[in-house]
Amino acid sequence: MKSNLDKSLSNGETIKTKVKKERKRPKSIKSEEDVVTEKPAKIPKVSKKEKPSEPEEKENTLINGHIKVSQINKAVFVVFKKIQASPLTQKMINSLVVLLRDDTNAEQRTATSCYVLKRLIRSTGADDLKAVALAASYIHCILSAVPSIDALEVLETLKRDLAVGSQQRGKEDSLAAVGQLITAFCILQTPQFAEAKPKLVGAVFEILVAQLKGREYLVSLCADILADSFKKLSTANFEEYVWPLLQPQLNKPLSGLKLNTCDLLLAVHLTYPSILGREQLLASLWPKKPLYGQLFELYHSGSTIHSDGVYARLAAFLEKGGKDSLIAWQQYVDSKQPLKLNAAKAGVIQVLGHLLLNFKEKDEQTILDIFKPTCVQFLLQELSAVKGDNSEAKKPSQKELREICFKFEGSLVLSFEKQLQNEEIKLQLLLRLLEQRLQLDSVISLPRFSQQLINQLSVESLQKLYDYYSNLLGSLADEDRVSRVHCLNQMQLILQHPKLDKEGKWRQKQLRHFLLAAVFHLDVDKKPCETTNASAFSRQCSERCEEIFFGSLLHKCSGLPALCKLLQKTLSYLKKELFKPDVESKIRSPMNEGLRKAWKQVEELLTKPSEESDVVGQTFEALILFVSLALCTRSPLSVTVLEDLIICRKNALQKGKKKANEDLKWQDVLTDALLQLLLQTGHFWREFVNLVATALIPHLEASNLEQILEVLNMNRNPLSKKDEGEEDSDEEMEEEQQPEDSSEDSEGDDDDDEEEDDEDEEGDEESHLAQIRESVRQALVNDGDADDDGASSVDWNDVDEEQGQRLNAALEQSFQLFRPKSRKAQAKERPTKSERIDNTSLLHFRIRALDLLELFATKKPIQPVILDVLHCVFQVFRHCSGDTKLQSLREASLKLLKKLLAKNIEFEPKQDKAPILEAIEQLMSTADEQSEEDQEGSKQPSNRQAKAEVTIWRDKCFAYLVSQGSADKEPKDSAVWPLLVEFLQMWVANRRSRLSLASFEALFQSGQWQGVAPLAVVLASHLDAKKTRSFRRAQILKLLSEQFRRLETALKDNSSASKEFEKQLARYVEQLEAESNSPKELKLLQKILAQGGPKRQKLLEKVQVLGQKPQPKKTAAKEEEQVTEEVKEVEDVQQAAEQKQEKTKKKDKSNKANKKHKKNE
C-alpha cells in the first residue's frame, strides 16, 4: 500500500527534487479531471539511478516541500477521489476543511495541508478554465476556514511550484502567471490579509505588480485585482509598501500607458487622493496641458469590452473633474456618433449608467447637459435594438452589450428612486426621453419602465407631465391615433396616482375635460363645436375619454355618500353645458324624447338629494345619476333602465303605502337593472355595480338571489333572444292545470310531443333530401338544356365517354357537399364573429355576476344564501373545468369557492339544518351525474385532470357542509351524523358508491370539524374480516394510517372515543389471528398501532408475530381475488354505462318505428 502511494505521489502529488535542474514546473493541464484528481499536472519521473536511497526519512516541512507519506492523513485521498467522481458540493468542501482544521496531530495536519495546497496550487496553472476556477474556490475556502495555515508559506509554495521567469516565454509561463495571480487574489480575500503584517503585504503585491509587464490579458487581470485590493489597504500601508512598487510602472505620460495601467493609475488617484492628487495626476498624464480627448480615445478606440470596474473608475474621474471634464467627454462622444464598434457603445452606456448612480454634485443640471438629444437618441436606438433582437446566435460582444443595456435600464430607474434629488431635473430628463420616443415601453425591456419613472415624480411634476401629454394630443398628426391613445392612457395613470388623491379640485377639473370630450364634439381648442369642425382627437378618442372619465370617477371612491356628492357636482356642471344655446348640434349623442322626460326627474333629484342616513335613497340616487351620465354619452344602454330606476325609487321610498296587487317588487326590478348594467362594456360598470350592491344587499331578498343564480345556470343562455325559461314555465303551468288522475291523457300528450319532435326531425330530413335531389338534378342537366322543363331526364344511351366523366365528377361533388361531418370536423369549425362576440359577452357577464354572489355571501352569510351560492358556484366550476374556452370563468368560480369554504354560516337560534342534508344529497348526486356523463361518452373527450380536480373540490365542499351541519353540537348529536353513517355503510357495502376514500380524507383534513374521533370509531367498526371486503379494509387502514396525527390529536381530546377505537382494533386483531390475513393489512395496521399507549403496544406485538408467520397459499389467492374485485368494480361501471346507452338507442329506434307505422296507417 505504501509503495503504491509513493508511486502516485511521484507522478504529481509530491516534488522529489533537490537541484534547480530537477525542479521543473508542471506542464499545462488539459482537463478538469486531471486537475482535481490525483494528477493535476505531469512531472518528469526521476530515474531509479538518480532516485535517493532514503528520501522519506528526511525532515519535512511545508517550506522545503518534502513530504512523508506516513505523515499524510489517508482520509484526504478519499476526499479527492469523491471530488473526481462527482460535481463540487458544499459537503465536499466541508469534509476537506474539517480534515485540515480539526486534526489534533500537528505534524500530520501540516503534512496534509502541504499536500492539499501543493495539489490545488498546481491546478490553478492548468489550461482549463473550469479546473482553475474549481481549484481557486477550494484554496479560498481552505485559507478562510483554516487559520493555522500561514499565507506566507502558501506564497513560498506558489513561487516554487508555479515558477515564472523574468521573461514569459510560451504558453506554460503564461498559465503559471495566471495561477500566481489567482492564488494571490485568494489570499487577498482571506481574513489573514485584513490583519496582515507588512511582510505579507509586500510579498503579495510583489507577485501582483510583477505581472504588469506581461501579456495584455495578464495585465488586465492584474490591474483589476490590484484596483479592488486598494480598498483593503490603509493609506499608510499603501504608501509604504505598495506605492513604491507601482510607481515605476505608472509614473509615465499618457502616451506611455496602456488602458489597464492608466485605469490602475486612476484607481490610485480615486482611492488615495492624498497620495496622488488630481493636479499630480494631470501633470503626470499631460506634462504641458490636459488633453482629455487622448484619454477618451484610449478608452473607446479598442475592440475589447473591459470589466465594469474600468468604466466605473472613468465615470468617477469625470464626475470629480466637474462640469468641464463631463462636457468634454459628452462632446467627444457626440463627435464619434454614430458609433460602430460594440466595445465603444458598451463603454459609453456603462459610463452613463455609473454617472447616474454615483453623481454627487449638488448642481444636477450637468446631468441634463450630458443627456443631449444626440446622446438620448443613441441610447434609445441601442435599447430598441436589444429588445427587438430575439435571435439566439449572437457574437460574444453582442451578448455583453445586451447585458449592459439591461443594466443601464435598471440604473436609470435606481437614479430616479435614490440618486437624483432635484424634482425638476427628474422631470426634464424624462421629458427628453419622451421627446425622442413617446412610447418608451416599446423600446425598453424592463417591464413597466415608464410607470416606474412616473412613480418617483412629485405632485407638481406629475401635474406638469399631465399637461405635457394633454398638450400633445392636439399637436400630433391627424392619422396618429395610436400615439393619442397612449397619451390618454398615461394621463389616466397620472390622474389615478396615489400622490394626487388629495388634489381634489385639480382632479375635478381634469374630469370635466374628459366629460366634455365624451359628450360633445370638440374642436382644436377642446371646446364644443359642430360635427364638421371636430378635431382628430375628438373623432378618434371620444370613446376612450368616456372610459377614462367613468373609471377615474370611481377610482378609490370611499363609499356611497362620497360617490353621490361627486355625481351631483358633475351632473350640475353637465346641466349647465347641455342647456347652452345651440348646443344640440354639438352633442355626440343627441337626447331623445324619453331621456328628456327622465331628465326632469334627474333635475329634481339634484335639487333634493337624499340624506346620508338613508341608504336605500342614496343607492337609488347614485344609480339614477350615474345612468343619466352614461345616457348622455354614446352608451348602448336603454332609457327604460333609467325610467325603471325612477319608478323603483318612488316605490321603495313610499313606506307603508304598498299596493295590494303589486306584481313586482322594487327589489326585483332593481336586481334586473343591476344585471343589465353588468352587461355593458367597460370595466367601470363592474366597479360601479359592486359599489352600489355593497350597500344594497342587506335590503334584497331570496328571490333576488335567485335572479342572479339564474344567470349562472350553465344549461341555458340568459342572453338568448328567445326566452326559453318562459316557454318552459308556460308548459309547466298547462301541465299543472290538467287533472292528476288523467295519466293516460298525459301519456298521450307525451306521445304527441314526441311525434311533433319526430315530425320536425323528419321535416329536416326531407328538406335535406330535397336539396340533394336538386343538386343531383343540376349535375345531370346538359349545357343546352338548362332552362328546359325536362332537363332532369337523361338518355344514358346518348351519353358519350367525355360527358359521362363530367357527370360522374358533378355527382361526386354534389354528394360530397351533403356528406355528414364527423365530430372532429365539427369541433374544428370556427364560430362566426357574432358568435364569438356573444360568447365573450356571456363569459364576462357571468364573471361579473360572481361578484354579486360574493357580496351576498359576505353581507348575508345565512344558511339559505350560503347553500344556494355554494351549490351554484360549484356547478359553474364543474361545468367550466373541461372547457378550455371557459378558463377565466373557472378561475373566478374557484376563487369564490375557496372564499366560501372559509366562511362560517350564521345560524339562527334553533334553526333547522335539514337544508344542509339536502345540499349534501344534491352535491353527491351531481357527482354521480358527472361520472355517468363521462362514461357514456359525451361530445368532448373527458379530461382526467379536470375531472380529478372537480372531485377534489366536491369532497372539500362535502367536508365543509358536514362541519357546518355539526357546528355548536356534538358531532354524533348533529343532523348530519346519520347521513354520514349511511353514506359510510353504502361505501363499505357497495362496489360503486357516491363517496370515495378521498371524501373521508377531506373530513379528516377539515380543521373545523370535531367529529374525527367518532368517525374513526365507525371506520374501525367496519374492519370486519367476515363482512367487509379486503379491498375496503385496506382502504380504511390506509386512511387511518395516513391521518394518524390528526387522529391522535382528536382521540386525546375524546377519551371515550379513544377506548372504543382501541376496542375495535383489538377485535380486528383477534379476527386476524383466527383467520388468514393480508401482508398489506398487517403493515398498515402496524403503522396505526405504533402511535399509541400500552394497549396498542400489546396489539402491535401480536400483529408483528402474525407478520412473521409463514403465509398460507390461500393468501396469494385472496390477493388475486382482491385484484379481480378491483377490476370487476371498474368493469361493472363500464358495463352499466354501455347497457344504459344500448337501452336509450333501442328505445329511440322503437319510438321512431311506431310513429312511422302510425303515419302509414
Side-chain angles (χ1 to χ4, degrees), residues 77-136:
F77 300 113
V78 179
V79 175
F80 274 110
K81 189 174 182 179
K82 290 181 180 179
I83 293 173
Q84 177 185 3
S86 58
L88 176 66
T89 61
Q90 187 64 38
K91 187 176 180 180
M92 294 180 185
I93 297 176
N94 293 340
S95 61
L96 194 58
V97 167
V98 168
L99 279 176
L100 303 180
R101 185 186 60 194
D102 298 343
D103 196 347
T104 56
N105 189 341
E107 184 180 1
Q108 180 175 272
R109 184 176 66 247
T110 303
T112 307
S113 301
C114 174
Y115 166 75
V116 171
L117 288 172
K118 279 176 177 289
R119 183 167 179 171
L120 294 175
I121 287 171
R122 288 183 172 213
S123 298
T124 59
D127 188 13
D128 188 337
L129 184 60
K130 292 182 179 179
V132 172
L134 191 64

Side-chain angles (χ1 to χ4, degrees), residues 779-1050:
L780 295 175
V781 169
N782 294 328
D783 294 337
D785 301 334
D787 298 331
D788 297 342
D789 295 335
S792 59
S793 61
V794 178
D795 189 356
W796 294 102
N797 296 323
D798 298 336
V799 174
D800 56 7
E801 184 176 355
E802 183 180 354
Q803 190 176 6
Q805 291 177 355
R806 183 188 67 79
L807 287 171
N808 187 23
L811 288 171
E812 182 180 358
Q813 183 179 4
S814 175
F815 285 112
Q816 285 291 339
L817 290 174
F818 296 97
R819 182 180 179 181
K821 296 180 180 179
S822 62
R823 290 180 179 176
K824 292 184 178 179
Q826 291 176 358
K828 289 182 179 179
E829 284 186 355
R830 189 179 180 184
T832 62
K833 184 177 180 181
S834 60
E835 290 176 346
R836 292 198 303 271
I837 293 174
D838 292 342
N839 293 337
T840 304
S841 301
L842 178 60
L843 180 66
H844 293 169
F845 181 39
R846 282 175 167 157
I847 291 174
R848 294 177 178 185
L850 287 174
D851 294 343
L852 293 180
L853 289 187
E854 183 178 354
L855 288 175
F856 253 103
T858 303
K859 296 294 182 180
K860 300 178 84 171
I862 57 177
Q863 179 176 276
V865 171
I866 295 295
L867 294 181
D868 289 344
V869 172
L870 180 66
H871 177 72
C872 175
V873 174
F874 175 75
Q875 293 301 325
V876 172
F877 171 72
R878 184 179 68 87
H879 187 276
C880 299
S881 294
D883 196 341
T884 55
K885 297 178 182 178
L886 301 176
Q887 289 306 302
S888 56
L889 181 57
R890 172 193 166 277
E891 293 174 1
S893 60
L894 180 57
K895 184 179 179 182
L896 179 54
L897 190 62
K898 292 177 181 178
K899 293 181 180 179
L900 290 173
L901 296 181
K903 190 178 292 296
N904 290 324
I905 299 176
E906 294 181 2
F907 293 99
E908 297 177 1
K910 298 181 180 181
Q911 186 173 3
D912 184 17
K913 295 185 180 179
I916 293 183
L917 303 181
E918 297 176 2
I920 293 175
E921 290 279 0
Q922 194 175 18
L923 180 68
M924 305 318 292
S925 65
T926 55
D928 285 345
E929 291 171 6
Q930 171 70 17
S931 62
E932 289 173 4
E933 288 172 4
D934 292 342
Q935 290 164 4
E936 289 175 6
S938 57
K939 294 181 180 180
Q940 295 181 353
S942 60
N943 189 339
R944 292 183 180 179
Q945 186 177 359
K947 182 181 176 183
E949 190 176 7
V950 169
T951 304
I952 290 171
W953 285 102
R954 183 209 69 182
D955 294 335
K956 289 184 178 181
C957 292
F958 168 71
Y960 169 78
L961 291 174
V962 170
S963 63
Q964 293 297 314
S966 306
D968 302 331
K969 279 187 179 182
E970 284 293 329
K972 297 182 72 173
D973 299 335
S974 64
V976 183
W977 183 256
L979 180 63
L980 183 60
V981 173
E982 181 185 351
F983 278 158
L984 185 55
Q985 290 174 350
M986 292 172 58
W987 175 73
V988 171
N990 301 326
R991 295 179 183 274
R992 186 182 183 189
S993 174
R994 294 180 180 181
L995 273 73
S996 63
L997 183 68
S999 304
F1000 300 105
E1001 189 176 357
L1003 282 173
F1004 273 87
Q1005 294 174 353
S1006 178
Q1008 299 178 349
W1009 192 48
Q1010 302 299 323
V1012 173
L1015 179 61
V1017 173
V1018 178
L1019 285 169
S1021 66
H1022 289 288
L1023 292 173
D1024 194 333
K1026 297 178 180 180
K1027 297 180 180 179
T1028 307
R1029 292 179 296 121
S1030 60
F1031 179 63
R1032 287 287 189 239
R1033 295 199 307 268
Q1035 283 186 310
I1036 293 172
L1037 290 171
K1038 181 182 177 183
L1039 174 62
L1040 295 176
S1041 62
E1042 289 179 350
Q1043 303 294 328
F1044 70 90
R1045 290 184 180 177
R1046 177 88 170 90
L1047 176 60
E1048 289 303 315
T1049 305

Side-chain angles (χ1 to χ4, degrees), residues 550-712:
F550 285 110
S552 301
L553 189 70
L554 297 168
H555 180 67
K556 289 185 179 180
C557 190
S558 58
L560 203 58
L563 178 61
C564 289
K565 290 180 181 179
L566 191 58
L567 288 171
Q568 289 167 7
K569 292 180 182 179
T570 307
L571 271 168
S572 299
Y573 170 75
L574 181 61
K575 176 185 172 183
K576 296 177 182 178
E577 296 293 330
L578 286 175
F579 291 97
K580 287 183 178 180
D582 301 330
V583 77
E584 189 68 27
S585 59
K586 301 176 182 179
I587 300 176
R588 295 178 59 242
S589 179
M591 288 187 176
N592 54 26
E593 191 62 29
L595 182 57
R596 290 181 184 277
K597 292 180 179 178
W599 190 261
K600 296 179 181 179
Q601 303 291 333
V602 175
E603 291 178 352
E604 293 180 5
L605 188 60
L606 290 175
T607 56
K608 297 179 181 180
S610 303
E611 298 179 0
E612 292 187 10
S613 58
D614 187 3
V615 178
V616 177
Q618 282 214 321
T619 302
F620 277 105
E621 182 179 334
L623 281 166
I624 293 171
L625 297 181
F626 196 87
V627 171
S628 302
L629 270 177
L631 289 172
C632 291
T633 62
R634 288 188 177 178
S635 175
L637 196 64
S638 175
V639 185
T640 55
V641 177
L642 180 60
E643 295 172 350
D644 292 342
L645 288 173
I646 294 172
I647 296 172
C648 278
R649 179 175 178 272
K650 291 181 180 179
N651 296 335
L653 297 180
Q654 286 178 356
K655 298 180 180 180
K657 297 181 180 180
K658 296 181 179 179
K659 296 180 181 179
N661 298 324
E662 188 178 8
D663 296 332
L664 287 177
K665 297 180 181 180
W666 64 266
Q667 291 96 332
D668 300 335
V669 180
L670 183 59
T671 305
D672 282 334
L674 291 177
L675 292 174
Q676 195 165 355
L677 294 181
L678 286 178
L679 273 172
Q680 307 305 312
T681 57
H683 187 72
F684 59 87
W685 286 109
R686 183 179 185 179
E687 295 181 11
F688 173 68
V689 171
N690 290 343
L691 181 62
V692 172
T694 302
L696 194 63
I697 290 295
H699 301 275
L700 298 181
E701 300 174 354
S703 59
N704 308 126
L705 177 60
E706 291 294 333
Q707 290 177 266
I708 302 171
L709 295 175
E710 189 62 28
V711 173
L712 293 165

Side-chain angles (χ1 to χ4, degrees), residues 268-300:
V268 174
H269 161 65
L270 295 171
T271 311
Y272 306 105
S274 60
I275 297 176
L276 183 62
R278 188 173 184 86
E279 294 182 358
Q280 292 174 308
L281 176 64
L282 296 178
S284 174
L285 292 176
W286 300 286
K288 295 183 180 179
K289 181 182 178 181
L291 299 174
Y292 287 109
Q294 296 178 357
L295 178 65
F296 304 147
E297 187 70 24
L298 181 64
Y299 274 84
H300 298 299

Side-chain angles (χ1 to χ4, degrees), residues 204-215:
V204 172
F205 281 94
E206 184 180 350
I207 293 174
L208 293 173
V209 173
Q211 305 306 328
L212 289 175
K213 299 178 182 179
R215 299 184 180 182

Side-chain angles (χ1 to χ4, degrees), residues 29-80:
I29 302 173
K30 300 299 181 182
S31 66
E32 180 181 356
E33 182 178 353
D34 294 335
V35 175
V36 183
T37 57
E38 295 181 359
K39 295 182 181 181
K42 294 181 179 180
I43 299 178
K45 294 183 179 180
V46 181
S47 64
K48 293 183 179 180
K49 295 180 181 180
E50 297 177 353
K51 187 176 180 180
S53 58
E54 295 178 355
E56 297 179 358
E57 299 300 327
K58 294 184 179 181
E59 183 68 16
N60 295 294
T61 62
L62 185 62
I63 296 176
N64 62 29
H66 298 285
I67 304 174
K68 282 185 179 180
V69 176
S70 59
Q71 293 176 334
I72 300 175
N73 190 342
K74 303 302 183 293
V76 75
F77 300 113
V78 179
V79 175
F80 274 110

